[in-house]
Amino acid sequence: MTSTNVLEEKLEKIAEINGIKVYNIKSNRFKTNTINIFFQDNLDKDSVALNALFPSVLRRGCSGLPTIKDINLYLEESYGAVFDCGIVKKGEKQIIHFYFEYVSDKYTSDADRNFQKALDFLLNIIYKPALQDHSFNEQYVEQEKSNLKMLIESRINDKVQYALDRCYELMCKDEPFGLYEYGTIKQIENITSSELYKHYKEKVSTLPVEVFITGELCDSDIEVLKNSLDSINRSAQKGLLSSIVKKYVDKVSYFEDAMDVNQGKLSLGFRTNITSNEDDYYALLVYNGILGGGMHSKLFQNVREKAGLAYYVFAGLEKFKGLMIIAGGIDIKERDHTKELILKQLDEIKEGNITDYEFKSTIKSLETGIQSLKDSQLQVVDFYLSQLISQTHDTLEGLLEKIQRVTKQDVIDVSKKIQLDTVYFLTSEA
Amino acid sequence: MKFETIEYKKYDETIYKYEHSSGLKCLVVPKKGYYKKHATFSTQYGSVDNEFVIPGEKTQTRVPDGIAHFLEHKLFEQKDGSVMDKFAALGSRPNAFTSFNQTVYLFSCTDLFRENFDLLLNFVQNPYITDESVEREKGIIGQEINMYRDDPGWRVSFNLLDAFYKNHPVKFDIAGSIESISKITKDTLYKCYETFYHPSNMVVTVVGDVDHIQVFEQIEKNIQATEKTSEIERIFPEESDSVNKIYVEQNMPVSTPLFYTGFKDNNFNLQGLEILKYDLAVKLIMSMIMGKSSELYAKLYDKGLINSTFEMDFSIEKSYAYSMFGGESVNPEAVKDSLIKEIRKFRSNGLDPQTFDRLLKASKGRFLRQMNSVESISRMFINLYFKGVTMFDYLDVYDTMSFDYIMDVFDMHFDIERMALSVVKGTSK
């Protein structure tokens, strides 16, 4: 090992230019640096498909690098830099993400300032797309429409994920969260190239933007960044809505899909009625961990290990929307039996039956999870972005402390707020 | 204590190597400032090792398909309960996986490394298997097998292996089949354990901010001091040089067909650095022909015949080697035909040295990127360890790779006679 000391890594806001907020997370542990640019929008049925499509078109070419081939030649020349863009759903927000990762200057033989090249590339992709008659390249739009339709149709390939997504969608079918983040086939088909271009122009100049840079950058890199952002044309920023979390369930809904499958997939969707900026949120994290967050959990121990009903069974949270899901892959004829056994585990917690082992292991496992995030630049960025979206301002250490303060009684109190909303089963064709 | 230190100053990396008297090897890669400490305990024993001669015996033993994976599941049970509970109490994340050639037990922790590491070393050395627990496990693994049977990505790759190989067990599902695991008993599990879990057939790796001396001391203390044994003779069935089938198709609920095509490669009889060299060369040529900066990729993408799911890989092991190209396509046959045409074109026009230089540079950058993650370092080390090399040997291979060698490998691997295609498509309605 070299004698260089490891830098203390923390989030530092370094600029706000043209409504673009810039954060730096310094670190010298990694071989690469990253640049992440996030645009945030409301998840809305009128824009969901358009937002999903335009990054795919931008990825096809930009000023100076008009084709995929040119882009990849460029990335290969830049020591195999990695570029990608796409969208993710966080609660009722749709996030458009542009990403660039390149080898740090100290490991490349030419002493070029790689940061400037990386930033120029990414800004060109976003703000100077390959154009044809002052609009997007028609052929690129048609091809990416067809790729996106294919992606939507291919959702059924991954049954584990599909059974989770379907449960959430059916459960929130009358709320924005019920929208699939890539839109529908019909919406995609109806998009015209000129409409998409107009939409894109408006979005990149009005949506709130967060930029995160990580790794080892020098002061001149930061200056380069500030100057570049200064020259971007931006209009007044769009105000965004918050995700709606509170909803009372008066009746449990049941849904089933049939496909040619060997294994059944059971998903149970719950409303927690807890937002991530309430104190209860930390107890909810512990509750979810005790219930189904790992091998020590009630679900794993009782449904898999003792009853041998499932190969996988777990509970997960969607913190932005305050939802919880329990999912398992089971023998088709065991549907009712498994459902009962799962719900029994929730009752156990309500009745206060939490062992010291379950409680302590959960806290420990959450600690390990939080500390482990720090070894991935992308995960640290995602953590802080999530904090900004949910308007909580926890640091990784702050989150740890709050989790450590949770008591068993807090968990029992939280368990009483959680309501089953939807039962979904993916089953075989008769 | 005797150990070896190798420094790679240019890349800020070091590796410490140690060998225990039983023949067990241990590698430590320190990652200063990292929070995660990742340790593995692996045996060179995977799903392909179904027929072998136990050291000291004369006749060969045949065991049911899927037994290495079954044994992996069973080792988590100990006389005093499940070892998972003990890891969970320490807040760490234990896991295990079985591949074609290895069974790997691992954990990742951010605290209490010493306790976790003791636990790992001990549970892997102390199996406790009962008839009753074997029967219960058949239910859980049965569900796992069913899950993979419903996974079109998994099916399409195994079907390609079935197309390549007539007899070689690499074509069989790692978990076996419901039928094959029904024959597994406590006795056969113990027999496999005694044969393949001898320390001399195993390796320990630790990656993270740890003290290597402490790691080696823990090994001294925890590993049972058995004698080294002789090499296990592994028996593989006769396999022809040509492919088993040129085309395999399966119907499953998918919207767009999935495909894998590739080449069966009989040049697997290589040692040490030669394996790394060959592996890198094949991968570079694959990128030259169909990588994201190639003419062919652009052409097929523009025609809508491939999309961003397209990927390529090459595998080389002691008894087999093959390449795979695949993803989603509305017309897999057309993709395969274009690939053949492109290879013929390269064969007559030659490969381009500038493209080679650029791809070599890119590949090295992407290799360095993998050193960011303790998991990927550890994964590469285990996989290469049993081939007699380490991940850092790649750095030499990058510096010595030549265009002449690339041209030789092009002729060796890309033999159109040894090509096959596997397709999974939806049931026509």
Side-chain angles (χ1 to χ4, degrees):
Chain A
M1 296 293 288
T2 53
S3 54
T4 20
N5 289 322
V6 175
L7 285 170
E8 190 195 353
E9 295 160 22
K10 52 177 198 267
L11 182 77
E12 186 193 356
K13 185 171 174 183
I14 53 171
E16 183 161 354
I17 299 164
N18 271 330
I20 301 170
K21 298 188 187 87
V22 185
Y23 300 88
N24 183 13
I25 304 167
K26 262 191 211 164
S27 153
N28 62 358
R29 291 185 291 147
F30 302 105
K31 301 279 190 271
T32 54
N33 297 338
T34 75
I35 306 176
N36 297 271
I37 303 182
F38 298 99
F39 290 81
Q40 286 190 45
D41 201 358
N42 294 324
L43 193 59
D44 183 302
K45 69 174 184 350
D46 295 326
S47 56
V48 63
L50 288 158
N51 280 345
L53 183 58
F54 84 75
S56 323
V57 176
L58 297 182
R59 187 170 43 199
R60 295 296 301 272
C62 64
S63 155
L65 303 170
T67 67
I68 284 203
K69 186 170 176 230
D70 295 322
I71 288 178
N72 283 295
L73 285 172
Y74 173 81
L75 295 172
E76 286 166 5
E77 281 296 350
S78 315
Y79 294 91
V82 178
F83 154 67
D84 206 356
C85 61
I87 51 146
V88 279
K89 169 166 141 181
K90 285 184 185 282
E92 291 175 335
K93 295 229 169 65
Q94 192 182 19
I95 315 286
I96 304 158
H97 182 194
F98 296 87
Y99 174 74
F100 197 92
E101 180 175 0
Y102 62 97
V103 175
S104 306
D105 294 349
K106 62 180 169 181
Y107 301 113
T108 62
S109 49
D110 34 10
D112 283 1
R113 297 312 304 176
N114 294 320
F115 176 78
Q116 170 137 33
K117 279 161 65 185
L119 182 70
D120 288 348
F121 170 84
L122 212 47
L123 292 177
N124 273 346
I125 287 279
I126 300 170
Y127 288 101
K128 292 181 188 158
L131 295 181
Q132 189 182 46
D133 305 326
H134 310 291
S135 185
F136 282 139
N137 177 316
E138 194 87 35
Q139 193 201 350
Y140 288 177
V141 173
E142 285 312 310
Q143 283 164 355
E144 293 309 322
K145 277 169 68 173
S146 122
N147 284 336
L148 193 50
K149 280 196 293 189
M150 222 187 268
L151 181 144
I152 296 171
E153 285 165 347
S154 301
R155 288 181 78 189
I156 55 164
N157 293 6
D158 181 349
K159 311 283 181 298
V160 175
Q161 189 62 41
Y162 185 72
L164 294 176
D165 290 352
R166 273 291 278 169
C167 180
Y168 274 149
E169 278 171 35
L170 292 162
M171 175 170 169
C172 301
K173 57 186 183 306
D174 303 319
E175 300 158 75
F177 190 74
L179 295 169
Y180 180 47
E181 63 262 42
Y182 292 99
T184 66
I185 304 263
K186 206 166 160 147
Q187 285 175 330
I188 304 287
E189 276 170 350
N190 289 333
I191 295 173
T192 65
S193 176
S194 59
E195 177 194 10
L196 184 68
Y197 186 65
K198 199 171 146 248
H199 176 87
Y200 145 79
K201 288 292 267 185
E202 185 205 316
K203 292 296 174 187
V204 293
S205 72
T206 60
L207 291 183
V209 184
E210 267 91 28
V211 176
F212 289 84
I213 49 182
T214 71
E216 260 187 299
L217 299 175
C218 59
D219 295 343
S220 65
D221 290 336
I222 307 288
E223 282 314 304
V224 164
L225 175 71
K226 288 180 180 168
N227 292 335
S228 300
L229 296 182
D230 240 351
S231 61
I232 295 171
N233 280 326
R234 296 262 299 163
S235 324
Q237 258 189 71
K238 179 176 173 181
L240 298 182
L241 306 169
S242 310
S243 301
I244 304 296
V245 169
K246 312 275 176 186
K247 189 169 185 285
Y248 181 77
V249 186
D250 43 23
K251 197 170 127 267
V252 178
S253 310
Y254 292 84
F255 298 95
E256 216 171 81
D257 283 325
M259 271 187 221
D260 177 16
V261 293
N262 294 297
Q263 187 182 62
K265 304 272 189 280
L266 181 66
S267 304
L268 308 183
F270 299 82
R271 305 267 174 186
T272 70
N273 287 305
I274 295 166
T275 58
S276 50
N277 50 18
E278 287 174 66
D279 287 345
D280 274 351
Y281 172 69
Y282 306 97
L284 177 65
L285 284 176
V286 179
Y287 169 82
N288 179 75
I290 294 172
L291 182 62
M295 294 190 289
H296 59 276
S297 69
K298 287 192 181 289
L299 289 174
F300 190 90
Q301 289 296 333
N302 294 298
V303 180
R304 175 178 147 136
E305 294 294 289
K306 292 210 181 90
L309 284 169
Y311 170 65
Y312 74 88
V313 59
F314 61 86
L317 292 172
E318 210 295 337
K319 72 173 211 173
F320 305 97
K321 178 70 182 164
L323 305 178
M324 183 175 80
I325 199 158
I326 295 177
I330 59 171
D331 200 320
I332 285 159
K333 60 180 188 301
E334 300 287 357
R335 182 192 65 188
D336 295 338
H337 178 191
T338 312
K339 192 189 107 190
E340 277 160 37
L341 193 59
I342 288 173
L343 293 176
K344 184 161 177 278
Q345 309 312 312
L346 279 89
D347 290 338
E348 290 285 327
I349 300 182
K350 264 189 220 162
E351 285 156 23
N353 295 325
I354 304 168
T355 64
D356 280 345
Y357 163 73
E358 288 165 341
F359 186 76
K360 285 185 186 150
S361 302
T362 296
I363 304 275
K364 262 297 193 192
S365 139
L366 288 167
E367 279 174 25
T368 306
I370 292 165
Q371 296 286 19
S372 298
L373 287 184
K374 296 179 185 171
D375 288 347
S376 155
Q377 300 184 85
L378 198 55
Q379 285 182 24
V380 170
V381 167
D382 183 68
F383 173 82
Y384 283 109
L385 176 75
S386 298
Q387 296 298 312
L388 295 173
I389 292 172
S390 53
Q391 293 176 346
T392 44
H393 300 285
D394 284 327
T395 58
L396 285 158
E397 281 67 28
L399 175 62
L400 259 178
E401 277 170 31
K402 286 177 185 169
I403 287 171
Q404 282 156 349
R405 282 205 292 267
V406 171
T407 65
K408 270 192 200 175
Q409 191 55 48
D410 295 336
V411 173
I412 297 164
D413 292 345
V414 152
S415 74
K416 291 170 183 155
K417 294 189 166 186
I418 291 162
Q419 297 178 302
L420 178 63
D421 183 303
T422 296
V423 177
Y424 172 79
F425 193 54
L426 177 62
T427 183
S428 61
E429 286 160 345
Chain B
M1 181 168 304
K2 238 180 71 190
F3 61 88
E4 196 185 339
T5 308
I6 311 168
E7 284 189 79
Y8 301 87
K9 287 215 169 88
K10 215 168 125 193
Y11 302 97
D12 303 324
E13 298 289 350
T14 302
I15 160 172
Y16 301 106
K17 285 185 181 178
Y18 161 82
E19 184 174 338
H20 182 257
S21 59
S22 62
L24 176 76
K25 312 280 194 312
C26 179
L27 304 171
V28 175
V29 179
K31 292 295 275 183
K32 203 156 169 44
Y34 270 64
Y35 292 86
K36 259 189 278 189
K37 297 167 177 72
H38 191 79
T40 68
F41 194 176
S42 318
T43 161
Q44 185 179 7
Y45 172 47
S47 67
V48 300
D49 300 304
N50 288 337
E51 203 169 349
F52 46 87
V53 179
I54 298 171
E57 288 187 12
K58 286 199 180 69
T59 53
Q60 55 209 59
T61 302
R62 176 77 172 88
V63 291
D65 293 338
I67 195 162
H69 170 262
F70 202 104
L71 187 54
E72 172 225 301
H73 272 236
K74 282 327 315 156
L75 273 199
F76 280 90
E77 254 167 68
Q78 301 280 287
K79 203 164 195 168
D80 53 352
S82 165
V83 74
M84 291 191 191
D85 298 353
K86 294 180 195 159
F87 276 110
L90 296 170
S92 62
R93 306 190 164 184
N95 207 344
F97 63 87
T98 307
S99 65
F100 294 135
N101 303 286
Q102 296 136 20
T103 313
V104 181
Y105 299 86
L106 59 98
F107 71 83
S108 169
C109 71
T110 54
D111 189 18
L112 306 172
F113 173 76
R114 187 189 285 266
E115 290 80 350
N116 277 295
F117 191 49
D118 276 346
L119 200 52
L120 175 72
L121 295 177
N122 281 302
F123 95 82
V124 176
Q125 291 182 90
N126 290 293
Y128 178 72
I129 305 168
T130 62
D131 290 324
E132 181 266 326
S133 77
V134 169
E135 287 315 306
R136 184 161 32 88
E137 203 64 38
K138 287 178 182 172
I140 294 175
I141 294 178
Q143 282 306 323
E144 188 178 355
I145 291 170
N146 276 338
M147 186 176 80
Y148 286 119
R149 279 172 68 196
D150 285 343
D151 182 342
W154 186 262
R155 288 312 328 152
V156 73
S157 59
F158 272 92
N159 290 350
L160 181 67
L161 295 177
D162 176 47
F164 286 151
Y165 300 99
K166 190 167 192 314
N167 301 313
H168 197 289
V170 71
K171 66 189 274 177
F172 299 121
D173 215 324
I174 289 168
S177 63
I178 305 261
E179 203 258 322
S180 75
I181 64 166
S182 72
K183 296 185 194 127
I184 290 175
T185 63
K186 185 180 96 178
D187 292 346
T188 37
L189 287 165
Y190 270 114
K191 187 181 274 185
C192 290
Y193 181 85
E194 297 303 336
T195 308
F196 291 101
Y197 282 66
H198 188 278
S200 57
N201 191 45
M202 300 182 79
V203 64
V204 170
T205 68
V206 179
V207 186
D209 197 347
V210 293
D211 172 7
H212 57 282
I213 309 263
Q214 184 206 313
V215 170
F216 299 150
E217 280 170 0
Q218 277 185 267
I219 292 201
E220 281 288 338
K221 197 179 77 191
N222 286 292
I223 298 296
Q224 292 148 17
T226 43
E227 295 280 299
K228 283 191 199 181
T229 60
S230 51
E231 188 85 357
I232 306 150
E233 189 190 334
R234 298 160 203 251
I235 299 156
F236 294 105
E238 278 291 310
E239 182 65 48
S240 116
D241 277 355
S242 53
V243 297
N244 179 30
K245 301 166 189 168
I246 19 180
Y247 182 71
V248 183
E249 183 179 307
Q250 184 178 350
N251 290 316
M252 288 177 81
V254 293
S255 51
T256 310
L258 300 181
F259 78 100
Y260 266 122
T261 184
F263 299 85
K264 178 176 179 174
D265 189 334
N266 301 314
N267 305 299
F268 46 78
N269 196 10
L270 299 171
Q271 301 298 322
L273 280 179
E274 286 299 311
I275 301 176
L276 297 191
K277 241 178 109 179
Y278 191 76
D279 175 72
L280 179 62
V282 173
K283 285 175 179 160
L284 287 171
I285 304 166
M286 289 171 84
S287 297
M288 291 169 104
I289 297 171
M290 211 173 167
K292 284 188 172 169
S293 62
S294 68
E295 293 287 339
L296 181 60
Y297 185 93
K299 194 177 91 185
L300 295 176
Y301 193 100
D302 282 345
K303 283 188 182 165
L305 286 172
I306 55 172
N307 59 28
S308 58
T309 61
F310 182 77
E311 57 183 10
M312 310 183 288
D313 201 12
F314 174 65
S315 298
I316 176 162
E317 295 295 339
K318 285 207 174 88
S319 56
Y320 61 88
Y322 57 83
S323 58
M324 290 173 118
F325 303 70
E328 295 174 354
S329 177
V330 287
N331 189 349
E333 289 276 1
V335 177
K336 184 192 164 198
D337 291 345
S338 307
L339 178 57
I340 293 176
K341 257 204 202 138
E342 199 70 3
I343 286 166
R344 293 207 167 110
K345 202 176 92 192
F346 275 109
R347 194 143 280 150
S348 52
N349 300 352
L351 300 166
D352 173 31
Q354 277 172 328
T355 308
F356 162 73
D357 288 341
R358 188 186 69 244
L359 288 168
L360 186 65
K361 184 176 170 188
S363 171
K364 188 172 171 186
R366 286 176 186 159
F367 172 76
L368 286 178
R369 181 175 177 245
Q370 290 188 299
M371 291 186 200
N372 279 346
S373 143
V374 295
E375 287 88 354
S376 39
I377 293 174
S378 153
R379 195 166 34 225
M380 286 191 77
F381 264 106
I382 300 164
N383 191 16
L384 295 176
Y385 167 74
F386 295 117
K387 295 175 178 141
V389 281
T390 82
M391 170 176 181
F392 294 130
D393 288 327
Y394 262 116
L395 296 168
D396 289 335
V397 172
Y398 276 107
D399 293 340
T400 55
M401 181 60 62
S402 73
F403 186 65
D404 286 346
Y405 180 68
I406 289 279
M407 289 193 294
D408 291 345
V409 172
F410 178 55
D411 291 332
M412 288 159 79
H413 178 78
F414 296 85
D415 179 350
I416 290 158
E417 299 296 311
R418 297 206 175 90
M419 216 175 163
L421 173 66
S422 156
V423 176
V424 165
K425 51 168 82 161
T427 20
S428 39
K429 280 168 192 152

